[in-house]
Amino acid sequence: EEMIAVCKYWYGKYKAVPAAFTHDVMEFYAPLRLNGGDSLEAAKEHYAFCNDRIEQGTRTYKLSELAAGLENSEVWYFWWD
């Protein structure tokens, strides 16, 4: 239920659509281009949803690195160990 609520929220805010699910991976197609405050806000939301996005998916372990990556991507990738 919580993941579905996040999916609905991200669709409403970013037009992000769930595109793939496995037992430990979730991908979204996110066609809107993010920048500035929008990308930082989305990065915070991604970290709250799946902390591995920063703790295992960045070199610097910083929100700013994730936010910069979101500005250049139409795919949002999440995984859980």
Side-chain angles (χ1 to χ4, degrees), residues 10-72:
W10 281 343
Y11 178 75
K13 187 169 183 180
Y14 304 110
K15 301 300 181 217
V17 178
F21 292 89
T22 69
H23 70 285
D24 63 351
V25 170
M26 187 174 193
E27 290 185 10
F28 287 78
Y29 170 65
L32 295 183
R33 289 290 184 220
L34 301 176
N35 57 48
D38 290 336
S39 61
L40 188 56
E41 181 65 27
K44 290 175 186 177
E45 294 171 2
H46 284 211
Y47 182 71
F49 184 64
C50 176
N51 61 359
D52 285 345
R53 288 288 283 130
I54 291 178
E55 295 174 9
Q56 293 184 31
T58 63
R59 293 182 199 177
T60 62
Y61 308 106
K62 294 184 180 181
L63 277 170
S64 58
E65 182 182 347
L66 176 56
L70 292 175
E71 291 180 3
N72 299 311

